[in-house]
Amino acid sequence: MNLNLEGKVAIVTGGSKGIGKGIAESLAEEGCNLSICARHQEELQKTGSQLENHGVDVLAVPADLTRKIIFRRWLTARWMHLERSIYW
């Protein structure tokens, strides 16, 4: 299926397993760059590496999003990571 997501950026919570991981995999297959987060760093890094095999940019950030400040930091990290890849 072609959803015209190549080069777009998506953020996925709970991205290291279950439904979140499945969503991240589907988006990566479509060429969508990702920012994923989850509480367990080891599983998250493993998933991030697997997603990069689709040729997309992945930022995997361990985060417990029950804390609002952590959510903001995650979004800021994604923006800063994305900004480095933009050439003016």
Side-chain angles (χ1 to χ4, degrees):
M1 178 178 356
N2 185 352
L3 300 174
N4 295 317
L5 297 176
E6 190 168 339
K8 304 286 186 192
V9 178
I11 60 172
V12 180
T13 61
S16 66
K17 57 186 173 183
I19 293 171
K21 182 178 180 179
I23 291 169
E25 287 173 342
S26 295
L27 290 168
E29 288 171 3
E30 291 290 326
C32 192
N33 297 313
L34 298 166
S35 181
I36 60 172
C37 77
R39 289 177 289 170
H40 305 287
Q41 184 171 1
E42 188 174 304
E43 289 179 43
L44 184 65
Q45 295 303 323
K46 181 179 175 183
T47 299
S49 294
Q50 292 169 347
L51 294 170
E52 286 175 337
N53 289 333
H54 292 284
V56 298
D57 179 45
V58 179
L59 177 63
V61 177
D64 179 356
L65 297 185
T66 60
R67 298 180 54 208
K68 190 182 238 182
I69 189 72
I70 301 299
F71 179 69
R72 287 182 182 153
R73 287 180 183 164
W74 175 48
L75 292 179
T76 300
R78 176 67 237 186
W79 178 252
M80 297 302 289
H81 184 77
L82 178 65
E83 206 170 55
R84 286 194 305 262
S85 64
I86 296 174
Y87 300 100
W88 300 99

